[in-house]
Amino acid sequence: MKKYLAMVPLLAGAAFLASVGVSSAEAKYTIGVSNTVQGNGWREEMICAIKAQALASGEVTKLNIAHRNTDAAGQLEDIRNLISAKVNAIVVNPADPAGIKSALEEATKAGIVVVAVDQAVTEPSAYIISNNQEQYAYLGAKWLFQQIGGKGDVVYMRGAAGASADSDRDKGFKKALAEFPDVKVVHEVFTGWQQDQGKQQILDFIATGSPFNGIWTSGIDNVIVDALVESQTPLVPVVGADNAGFVGQLNSVEGLVGAAVTNPGSIGGAGVTLALQILNGNKPAEQTVLVEPQLWENVTAEGKAKLKSAADPSLSPEWPVSISIPEWTTYTKEQIIACKGPGE
C-alpha cells in the first residue's frame, strides 16, 4: 500500500564514507547513507537535508555517508561497508532498483532499517519515501503538450539510464504522450542528471538545425534555458523542476514560457525521519509514502504568483526551492544551507 502526501514546500558535498558524530543524552543511532550521484545540485540538497534532519532530530550520534559517483556495483560495495560498520539504519538513493536488492536484503537480515528515498527499490523489506516520479513527469509533459497546441516536435531530456526515478518518469511522460498523438519526440537523450552534460547535449542538437517546439527536462533546466539564450535560439516552452535557478528564469527571462514541477531534494531529510520512527518502534502502516508534486507555470496570473512566491535567489541555482517537507522535516533553512550533520 502507498500513502500519498501533498507537496507543500517551504518557500523562502560530503566525502565518501565520511563519519561525523555528536555526544548527546538523547542521541543513540548511527545512520548510514548511500548516494551514487555527486556534483548534482538536487543530490547535494538531499545530502544536506539528511545532515540537517539528523542534527535537528537530536537522536543521531553519527552519520556514515557514502556519497560518490558510481553504479549499482559500487553501491553494493558501499552498502556492504555500511553493514560492516553496524549502522542502525541506511538511507539509500538507489542507482538501480534491482541491482542492489541483495545488499538491502543483507542489511535487513542484519537488523538494519532500510529506507529508500527519491526512488523505489525491489527489496520488499525496505521502506520507501519518494516524490511521485510518474506524476511529476505526467504533469509537466501534459502541460507542455497543451502549451504547444497539442502538436509538434519536442526534445525529451531524461535522467540516468537504469535509475528507477527515470523509469517512473518515462512512464508518466509516455502516458501524457499517448494523449497527444500529434506530438512527436524528435530527440531523446539521457543527461545523467548532470548540468554540463545536459547543456552540451542541447547545444549539439541545436547545431543540427532540426526544428523543435518544446523541451521537457528531467530537472536539468536552468542550463537548458542558458543554452537557448546563449546560442540565440528562439525560445520554446521548457518544463523543468523547481530548482532555484529555473524558478528565477521563469520569473525574469523575457519571452520564456515554462513550468516548474516540484521535486524536493529535502526528501532525504524525510528519509531520516522515517528511519528514526521505525527505529523507535513506530512503523508506518504503508511500506511506501509518496509526496505529490505541484506544477507552477508562468502563463496564468495564478501560476506567476506561485513562481514569484517560490523564488529564492539566496539558494544555489541547482537547489530545489522546496527545501522542507511539512510533517517530515524539522530543520531550519539556515541548518540545511549550513549542510552540517551531528558533530560537524
Side-chain angles (χ1 to χ4, degrees):
M1 295 180 65
K2 298 178 181 178
K3 179 181 179 182
Y4 294 87
L5 291 177
M7 177 58 218
V8 185
L10 173 65
L11 305 177
F16 171 60
L17 281 178
S19 294
V20 292
V22 65
S23 177
S24 167
E26 295 182 15
K28 53 187 175 181
Y29 297 119
T30 297
I31 293 182
V33 180
S34 176
N35 175 53
T36 61
V37 178
Q38 193 174 36
N40 167 280
W42 193 98
R43 296 294 184 105
E44 298 303 326
E45 182 181 279
M46 182 194 78
I47 292 294
C48 290
I50 288 172
K51 288 184 169 188
Q53 188 57 39
L55 182 64
S57 74
E59 295 186 78
V60 180
T61 57
K62 184 167 64 174
L63 289 173
N64 202 335
I65 303 176
H67 176 41
R68 60 170 176 155
N69 288 316
T70 189
D71 55 11
Q75 191 165 41
L76 276 171
E77 178 185 354
D78 292 346
I79 294 170
R80 284 171 175 146
N81 286 337
L82 293 173
I83 295 170
S84 296
K86 300 185 185 304
V87 299
N88 300 109
I90 296 175
V91 176
V92 56
N93 194 327
D96 179 273
I100 62 170
K101 182 180 185 302
S102 59
L104 299 185
E105 183 180 11
E106 291 167 22
T108 299
K109 288 180 177 179
I112 298 170
V113 171
V114 176
V115 176
V117 297
D118 182 42
Q119 312 186 72
V121 291
T122 59
E123 171 51 41
S125 66
Y127 291 85
I128 299 164
I129 184 163
S130 173
N131 303 307
N132 189 334
Q133 303 294 359
E134 183 173 339
Q135 186 68 3
Y136 167 91
Y138 176 75
L139 282 179
K142 182 176 181 178
W143 180 90
L144 177 63
F145 302 158
Q146 290 173 330
Q147 195 60 39
I148 64 174
K151 61 180 179 180
D153 297 325
V154 298
V155 177
Y156 181 29
M157 306 193 74
R158 300 179 61 171
S164 58
D166 178 81
S167 299
D168 288 343
R169 290 181 181 185
D170 187 55
K171 292 176 185 175
F173 184 90
K174 296 288 175 57
K175 178 182 175 182
L177 193 64
E179 297 175 7
F180 295 86
D182 293 327
V183 173
K184 307 298 180 186
V185 174
V186 68
H187 188 57
E188 179 178 340
V189 291
F190 288 98
T191 66
W193 287 307
Q194 297 294 341
Q195 299 281 330
D196 291 344
Q197 181 171 315
K199 184 175 183 179
Q200 190 57 56
Q201 286 169 327
I202 195 63
L203 286 172
D204 289 344
F205 181 68
I206 289 170
T208 68
S210 300
F212 57 99
N213 306 102
I215 304 173
W216 183 94
T217 78
S218 189
I220 303 298
D221 35 47
N222 61 303
V223 293
I224 302 306
V225 176
D226 288 342
L228 293 174
V229 173
E230 292 167 12
S231 64
Q232 298 184 332
T233 300
L235 294 175
V236 297
V238 178
V239 170
D242 60 329
N243 300 318
F246 185 54
V247 169
Q249 289 171 329
L250 291 175
N251 282 319
S252 64
V253 176
E254 186 176 355
L256 175 63
V257 171
V261 184
T262 57
N263 183 53
S266 45
I267 198 73
V272 171
T273 298
L274 180 56
L276 290 173
Q277 288 177 356
I278 297 167
L279 287 169
N280 289 326
N282 300 316
K283 294 183 179 181
E286 300 85 7
Q287 201 82 4
T288 298
V289 177
L290 293 179
V291 177
E292 291 303 299
Q294 297 178 6
L295 183 143
W296 307 328
E297 40 72 26
N298 67 354
V299 176
T300 67
E302 181 183 4
K304 289 177 181 178
K306 288 181 179 178
L307 285 166
K308 184 177 180 180
S309 177
D312 190 345
S314 71
L315 296 177
S316 165
E318 297 177 15
W319 271 38
V321 296
S322 310
I323 58 174
S324 182
I325 301 177
E327 301 180 34
W328 288 101
T329 60
T330 58
Y331 50 74
T332 64
K333 178 180 177 181
E334 290 73 23
Q335 284 176 319
I336 189 174
I337 291 176
C339 201
K340 301 292 185 181
E344 289 189 278

